[in-house]
Amino acid sequence: MCRAAIESEGDTAKAQAVNDGIVYLMAIPYLLVAAIGYAVYRLYSKKKV
């Protein structure tokens, strides 16, 4: 919705920047969860060996 509102103004560079920012903000939580999951996996795999 924000992207459509910005694109209607005609400034596509600003619309692309807003879109990139949204994707960046969406990716951060997934990366954090993946890193924590990997750390937990390594802790449990070390204890078994």
Side-chain angles (χ1 to χ4, degrees):
M1 181 179 246
C2 294
R3 182 179 175 190
I6 291 174
E7 282 181 348
S8 67
E9 294 175 7
D11 188 8
T12 58
K14 185 187 267 187
Q16 185 62 38
V18 169
N19 192 38
D20 291 342
I22 291 169
V23 171
Y24 174 75
L25 289 174
M26 284 176 45
I28 295 296
Y30 289 107
L31 292 174
L32 288 173
V33 168
I36 292 169
Y38 180 69
V40 169
Y41 169 76
R42 287 198 48 177
L43 286 174
Y44 280 114
S45 66
K46 283 185 179 179
K47 287 184 179 181
K48 288 183 178 181
V49 175

